[in-house]
Amino acid sequence: EARLTAVSSGVKIQLTVPGLPRRDGGEFYQVWLKNCDGTQLVPAGSFHELDHAIAWAGVSPVDFPLITVTKEVVAAPKDPAQGSSGDVVAKGSIGACP
């Protein structure tokens, strides 16, 4: 479940994704917003668990209506692993695609 609230600094996304095991150390969950054709990806926060989490995005859900959660590990600053691992554990939409 994702509930959105627009505020002056961006979009607050209250997430409830129960049942995922906690990730600690260098492992975490990453929340992403994507555009409809999947060519643009915006990070919205990293978390140990997602039972009750709050993510933030500086883009409009009208332009980025798809939401995914991936499993990630810590990577060096210039490592290609800084992008999405593609290991999706949850996905949905927070708006409509044409």
Side-chain angles (χ1 to χ4, degrees), residues 15-18 20 29-31 47-53 69 89:
L15 293 169
T16 304
V17 186
L20 295 174
Y29 295 106
Q30 177 69 47
V31 175
F47 304 90
H48 293 296
E49 54 88 11
L50 290 164
D51 289 345
H52 301 284
V69 177
V89 296

Side-chain angles (χ1 to χ4, degrees), residues 24-76:
D24 286 308
E27 299 181 332
F28 57 94
Y29 295 106
Q30 177 69 47
V31 175
W32 306 91
L33 297 184
K34 292 193 304 186
N35 64 345
C36 287
D37 66 8
T39 60
Q40 296 179 313
L41 190 64
V42 177
S46 57
F47 304 90
H48 293 296
E49 54 88 11
L50 290 164
D51 289 345
H52 301 284
I54 297 176
W56 290 91
V59 295
S60 169
V62 172
D63 299 325
F64 294 84
L66 305 177
I67 187 168
T68 59
V69 177
T70 57
K71 292 193 294 188
E72 303 293 340
V73 295
V74 172

